Amino acid sequence: MANIDYDVIVIGAGPGGYHAAIRAAQLGLKTAIVEREKVGGVCLNVGCIPTKAMLHAAEVRAEAKHASEFGLNLNEASLDIAKLNGWKDGIVKRLTGGVSGLLKGNKVTLLSGEASFVDDHTVEVGGQKHTASHFIIATGSEPAKLPGVAVDQEVIVDSTGALVMPDPVPARMLCIGGGVIGFEFAQVYNNLGSEVKIIEFMPNVIPGADADAVKEFTKIMKKQGISIETQTKANKAERKSDGVHVEIENVQDGEKRTEVFDRVLVAIGRRPRTDGLNADKAGVQISERGFIPADKQQRTNVPHIFSIGDVAGNPMLAHKAMKEGLVAAEVIAGKPAEQDAVAIPGVVYTNPELAWVGLTEAEAIEKGHKVKKGVFPMAASGRAMTLQQTDGFIKMVVEEDTDLVLGVHIVGPRASDLLGEAGLALEMAATASDIALTIHAHPTLGEGVLEAAEAVHKQAIHIMNK
Amino acid sequence: GRDLHPAAPSVRRLAREMGVELNSVQGTGIAGRISEEDVRRAAGTPSVT
């Protein structure tokens, strides 16, 4: 094509979009990125980063309570809520500023506004037309709405509204949805003083995680004081002078009751965002559920238009979007890249964390593997004891015939940081023996991964092998 | 059985670059792991003859 403005225009500057744009620029492509809100997208502005900041603050508060066990009395702690909100916003600002700087440093042109396709080689942004030989759609997702429970971002909030801690901290908090977002906010509010209840429509919370791990995790959350009701739904919510009246229904027996809360979080999932994109004008197909599906090279049905991240499909995770962004950019630059990851890690950043990578025990069995497993409890970890965090375990699922590691499931402090090793093991096709034979530093939480691998072979040292 | 090839990410990338289908490669490593050399051999260009 003659006279095109760019080799590639990336639509959306979230984790997927900015990874795609930077890699495209690194590979010598003339690149522009379109953003209608803030650079960094959901993850940096109203997702991963601010939630983790809130979790950390709340965790320090919770740990302070346990410090008296070793003689440190911090019981008269006070919370400056304005400062908490400001500190969190400051982190977000630093990181989004960093991404803007990286885009600029890599000579990626930032086009501010909403992109909509005019044809398959042209988008319009703020009344201006821009042409490109390739496009990468990275428009992300937004919170799903719950009929009858209208979000006002004051007392009935979605994950964005929940990030602003009200003053005073709400006395009674309801989280509708027992997924990752529901649990993370439940713990933030619980640790800062709210009485918190989670309701989940399905029989199990945290879909996709290993059943044993979820059971252990739920037990610990309940011990911390979070109330969890499964097979329960919210029919409607009404603001009254004494709080939000929520009609709650047990979906098994149909019994209904009304409970009153000071804050209600709707976290029932997210839906792909394609409004305003006019994808049809480029001939790009959108699925029934609103996704723009892509193949292993991240190509849509239109070969020069790519789709990555939340809008491309589940799981909606930042690190998946980042990888897909790199793949799309490399394919456009003519490299034989492919989204060929063996496993995508999942994490709930509560304390303890629930984190996993690879197949759950049930999935492994369903796929026809003969499975062996090894479990190492945190209670047997010296490092965990020194951290006052002995709840949880590390479970390793292994293929019996080959000893290949199929999945690792962790409930414990900093479980997310232990996933790097497990993920590498899966990608390298490591066996449980490979992990058991690797020297892990002592004392560390990571030793638990070694001991779980030893437990697979019934020769863990710090526990009796059954 | 395992529906993924027991090959490291860099070996999978090499296979794509050399146009080798991992399905057609017999891994000679532990637990049938496919090495870089296995891929080169399948492509007909082993680095050691």
Side-chain angles (χ1 to χ4, degrees), chain A residues 112-135:
Chain A
S112 293
E114 188 168 39
S116 59
F117 279 104
V118 176
D119 59 48
D120 70 336
H121 281 287
T122 314
V123 287
E124 195 174 295
V125 182
Q128 280 243 307
K129 287 194 173 83
H130 304 272
T131 54
S133 47
H134 300 87
F135 292 89

Side-chain angles (χ1 to χ4, degrees), chain A residues 243-318:
Chain A
V244 185
H245 290 236
V246 183
E247 185 186 287
I248 293 174
E249 180 180 339
N250 180 315
V251 294
Q252 277 181 301
D253 58 20
E255 194 201 319
K256 290 176 192 165
R257 62 186 191 273
T258 297
E259 292 187 29
V260 183
F261 299 92
D262 302 295
R263 190 163 245 218
V264 175
L265 165 68
V266 180
I268 56 165
R270 299 181 64 84
R271 57 169 199 197
R273 192 153 70 178
T274 53
D275 54 300
L277 187 64
N278 282 339
D280 54 321
K281 289 199 178 163
V284 173
Q285 278 165 12
I286 298 180
S287 78
E288 227 168 87
R289 294 176 57 205
F291 290 106
I292 298 179
D295 64 12
K296 280 184 164 189
Q297 292 189 311
Q298 304 304 138
R299 283 185 210 270
T300 67
N301 62 303
V302 181
H304 67 275
I305 301 180
F306 295 69
S307 168
I308 61 170
D310 289 4
V311 75
N314 287 312
M316 294 189 183
L317 295 168

